[in-house]
Amino acid sequence: MTTRPAAAPAATTGQWRPTWSPRPGNPDLPALTVVHDAHDDHAFMSAALTAHTPALGRITVHPTSVATAPASLAHDLLRSLNKHLLPGSEEADHWAGRTATAWRVVVAWTTALHIGHVIVTRAHRISPRHFEHLFGLLELTGIHLTLLCHGPLPPALASALTVLPYHGVHTLDGARPAVSTRLPPPPTDRYAWWEAATHIPPHADEPGLIQPTHSPPDHGRLDAASRRLGRTPLALPVGGRLPPEPDHATVLLTHRLHTRIAHPLHAAALAQRIATGRSDAPLQLSVVRAEGGGDLPVPPWAADLISAACRFAELDGRPPGRQSMQLAPWDRRAVDEAAHICGLLGHRLLSGGQARSSPPRTRAHLKE
């Protein structure tokens, strides 16, 4: 069976919320697939986990079994997309209750990263509200959604199936092709975000990153900065002069950006700051490839971040089609925090200054 391409992102008016009401399904959307594993056979779970291939546009989500927070399933989806909130951080704790924001983030990444098939295991244990959120995601994005139930169908799902078109699977032989449906080929000229790997949470002795403002630093200044810092700093290319192929320091940065910063606006703004060397420019919401000669060129590793930021801005109520936007004060502060999380130390360290400490955390930038 071949899964149809995900529908074009639906237009939204005002702030989108992850809601869904029982009504006849949209015939243009792929039918929901429900896999019944009545006897909790591990082979069903194994097939679903093996099907996780983000490079092809398919992710498998294994819901946190003890999580009860309203946004916990959204966080599970983000982890399947290789996006993480640092454990124990105030941001992670606060996001647990920001359901609408968390699902806007999920939609933005799902669209930008070309995800066409989402498989959810242990679906018989998720809450009625989480089913509502999942069906809202399905309705908005047009993804193919497969639910794996290891036991009787929960009442909320059984009720929804009376109005949603769906395909039921009851055998292992039927489940294997259901979780590995053929997807349209993804774009070939994109950054392999699914290969990004870094430590979560960060190791205390990981290399710090410094971006000089004018010219690459010599070994003497780097050695002096290393002695002041107590660990090895690596120099990034000067802003606006990124080489066609990322060097070692830039590769480390891109891995951290694609894994540690879950909010699209903040990830995109930090990527733009690194690419251009400018922290005062409006956030660009259109992708201009580095070789295109635009005022704010975007390297390939940042293109998906910009696309996700654009989609999030629309879902958050900003008019579609905008080429740029000014970040709110709390978002600018969050970008500074994102830089710290990614190990950026500040160029003053090269001239004898101190490494920038993490700014006091605030909940302002997490406003719904």
Side-chain angles (χ1 to χ4, degrees):
M1 180 172 62
T2 301
T3 297
R4 286 175 286 175
T12 55
T13 302
Q15 288 187 321
W16 175 79
R17 294 188 174 275
T19 58
W20 177 84
S21 300
R23 59 184 180 276
N26 183 343
D28 295 330
L29 297 181
L32 173 70
T33 298
V34 180
V35 178
H36 303 257
D37 172 21
H39 303 291
D40 200 5
D41 183 346
H42 180 71
F44 283 80
M45 177 69 78
S46 179
L49 296 178
T50 302
H52 179 76
T53 47
L56 299 179
R58 178 184 297 108
I59 61 170
T60 299
V61 184
H62 193 56
T64 306
S65 58
V66 297
T68 58
S72 60
L73 184 59
H75 296 178
D76 292 329
L77 266 87
L78 289 174
R79 281 189 290 272
S80 294
L81 293 167
N82 207 14
K83 310 297 177 187
H84 301 267
L85 293 166
L86 296 186
S89 68
E90 184 175 349
E91 180 173 294
D93 294 340
H94 196 55
W95 266 38
R98 296 288 180 177
T99 305
T101 296
W103 280 96
R104 288 175 202 138
V105 168
V106 167
V107 171
W109 287 123
T110 299
T111 304
L113 301 180
H114 305 281
I115 300 301
H117 187 188
V118 175
I119 303 165
V120 182
T121 68
R122 299 290 178 195
H124 62 294
R125 291 185 175 177
I126 64 177
S127 71
R129 181 60 59 87
H130 286 157
F131 279 120
E132 179 183 354
H133 298 159
L134 280 174
F135 297 150
L137 174 70
L138 168 67
E139 189 172 58
L140 183 68
T141 63
I143 58 166
H144 186 89
L145 178 63
T146 298
L147 302 177
L148 186 55
C149 294
H150 310 267
L153 295 186
L157 177 57
S159 176
L161 294 183
T162 63
V163 294
L164 280 175
Y166 78 99
H167 174 58
V169 176
H170 300 266
T171 66
L172 183 59
D173 287 342
R176 288 194 174 105
V179 298
S180 57
T181 54
R182 187 180 306 165
L183 294 163
T188 57
D189 59 342
R190 59 176 180 156
Y191 174 74
W193 57 269
W194 55 90
E195 295 179 354
T198 188
H199 295 292
I200 305 291
H203 283 181
D205 59 349
E206 71 177 13
L209 303 172
I210 303 174
Q211 184 168 40
T213 55
H214 301 295
S215 60
D218 55 39
H219 289 294
R221 287 199 293 165
L222 281 176
D223 288 343
S226 179
R227 289 191 294 272
R228 286 191 295 273
L229 187 62
R231 57 187 171 122
T232 304
L234 300 176
L236 292 162
V238 176
R241 305 181 201 172
L242 299 187
E245 292 296 324
D247 60 7
H248 176 58
T250 306
V251 168
L252 285 181
L253 172 69
T254 59
H255 281 214
R256 294 173 189 178
L257 261 174
H258 278 268
T259 55
R260 295 180 184 175
I261 312 303
H263 200 300
L265 290 184
H266 307 157
L270 182 56
Q272 178 179 294
R273 182 185 296 185
I274 295 299
T276 65
R278 297 168 58 184
S279 60
D280 57 345
L283 174 59
Q284 179 179 324
L285 294 176
S286 61
V287 175
V288 179
R289 297 287 186 175
E291 62 269 21
D295 291 336
L296 294 174
V298 176
W301 51 262
D304 288 341
L305 307 181
I306 299 292
S307 295
C310 179
R311 185 58 175 144
F312 179 85
E314 294 174 355
L315 295 166
D316 205 38
R318 295 172 176 87
R322 295 179 62 179
Q323 298 299 302
S324 64
M325 61 173 286
Q326 291 287 351
L327 292 182
W330 54 83
D331 282 313
R332 290 197 296 269
R333 187 169 187 81
V335 175
D336 291 337
E337 292 182 335
H340 180 81
I341 290 170
C342 288
L344 288 164
L345 301 170
H347 62 84
R348 287 190 299 274
L349 190 66
L350 294 174
S351 56
Q354 296 298 312
R356 182 181 58 209
S357 60
S358 179
R361 300 192 64 81
T362 174
R363 293 188 174 187
H365 69 278
L366 297 169
K367 290 173 67 176
E368 191 98 46

